[in-house]
Amino acid sequence: MPLVSSLELIRKASQEKKAIPAFNIHNLETIQAVVEGAAELDSPVIIQSTPGTLKHAGIEYIAAIVKEASKKYNIPIALHMDHCPSFDTIVSCIKNGYTSVMIDGAQYEYDENVALVKSVVKMAHAVGVQVEGEIGKIGGVEDDMFINEADASFTVPDEAKKFVDDTGIDTLAVAIGTAHGMYKGEPKLDFERIIEIESLVDVPLVLHGASGVPDESVKKAIKLGMAKINIATELKNPMVAAIREVIKNPEENDPRNYMGAARDAVREVVKNKIRLCNTVGFAAEFRK
Ligand code: 13P
């Protein structure tokens, strides 16, 4: 199947109180793990890259691998750019076939943030690409981005509505108690805030920082309106653990062995997250 629009997947999931799992990938093996896991469970999936991953692997390589993977399997796959602060990088993503992008203007004051997001929306919509925006500040570490607890701030529901209206974004990432990276204690999600935001805005909501959030909390967040669930760290940890295990043998020097083990480990986590998002078999809905 050719790459599909993220929004089409997310909207349909939202109607059925499901969520589309969105996995951050870094290289060939992590892309394979995500696509193989999704194909095995016949689930739609969003594959996403951060600016750091594009710097590491090259946008052309990432886009080409994902497009080939998509051709190989009969499931809907969207290619999304995650947390991108740069208009120009978003243009390159679109030129390389990304089907949605997240413009992250969190470092700016409200008006400047809106101006940046609006400019991306105008450009992206002209070529049929959807845009995710964020209001409030999700804390934690992702890529080269670090927002400490004191600087993180929850999304204010009225401001969320105004931000969606002012920018024309298609999906909204909200800060409701999750953070990027693993948690020291158990994260407490503000479910009341999700309900309030959901009642005010008419675009699907996105949950960032899902790694380490208890399954029951993720399920509840999905029931309340989170329609895209972002997962990064929970793929990285088993990957490195699998590599460490294989290279315990000092004679081991074959990348196919340690990267193969890493791919197997990541695929299992991907499948668990797909089950959590309740999208097993959901790919069939997009083949009708
Ligand atoms: P985690 O690393 O906590 O899973 O966060 C992923 C994310 O939100 C990507 O944008």
Side-chain angles (χ1 to χ4, degrees), residues 80-288:
H80 177 79
M81 182 64 191
D82 191 28
H83 282 292
C84 187
S86 151
F87 184 96
D88 292 346
T89 305
I90 285 183
V91 172
S92 308
C93 288
I94 294 175
K95 282 188 178 156
N96 278 280
Y98 278 59
T99 52
S100 59
V101 294
M102 175 187 190
I103 175 72
D104 186 343
Q107 76 271 34
Y108 300 116
E109 291 303 318
Y110 185 82
D111 287 346
E112 233 180 316
N113 186 358
V114 166
L116 173 67
V117 176
K118 256 174 98 167
S119 67
V120 168
V121 167
K122 189 169 175 218
M123 179 271 298
H125 282 184
V127 288
V129 167
Q130 290 89 45
V131 182
E132 179 181 322
E134 172 182 327
I135 191 81
K137 266 192 199 149
I138 298 159
V141 188
E142 186 174 86
D143 243 9
D144 306 330
M145 187 182 78
F146 172 60
I147 296 181
N148 67 30
E149 250 178 73
D151 290 332
S153 55
F154 280 36
T155 303
V156 177
D158 288 336
E159 200 171 271
K161 176 170 172 36
K162 184 165 163 40
F163 186 68
V164 172
D165 292 345
D166 285 350
T167 57
I169 50 171
D170 303 289
T171 52
L172 177 69
V174 289
I176 49 95
T178 56
H180 295 115
M182 285 315 253
Y183 299 89
K184 290 198 189 89
E186 189 176 306
K188 294 265 171 296
L189 273 54
D190 186 341
F191 296 111
E192 286 305 315
R193 195 174 292 266
I194 304 177
I195 294 170
E196 220 180 315
I197 299 168
E198 208 273 335
S199 72
L200 290 175
V201 308
D202 53 7
V203 297
L205 303 180
V206 179
L207 183 71
H208 281 243
S211 291
V213 178
D215 285 1
E216 287 316 310
S217 297
V218 174
K219 281 187 195 161
K220 189 166 171 187
I222 294 171
K223 286 252 154 12
L224 296 178
M226 290 293 177
K228 171 177 179 255
I229 305 290
N230 281 12
I231 303 135
T233 310
E234 265 193 82
L235 303 190
K236 287 191 222 167
N237 291 346
M239 179 167 183
V240 74
I243 293 172
R244 280 200 184 105
E245 188 57 37
V246 177
I247 62 170
K248 262 188 195 162
N249 173 4
E251 304 291 304
E252 181 59 71
N253 70 354
D254 188 336
R256 291 166 296 191
N257 293 340
Y258 52 82
M259 292 311 293
R263 181 172 55 207
D264 293 345
V266 173
R267 194 192 306 111
E268 289 315 302
V269 182
V270 164
K271 289 198 291 188
N272 286 338
K273 296 298 175 188
I274 288 172
R275 292 184 188 106
L276 181 62
C277 289
N278 194 17
T279 54
V280 176
F282 195 42
E285 294 291 315
F286 301 90
R287 290 193 290 265
K288 284 177 181 163

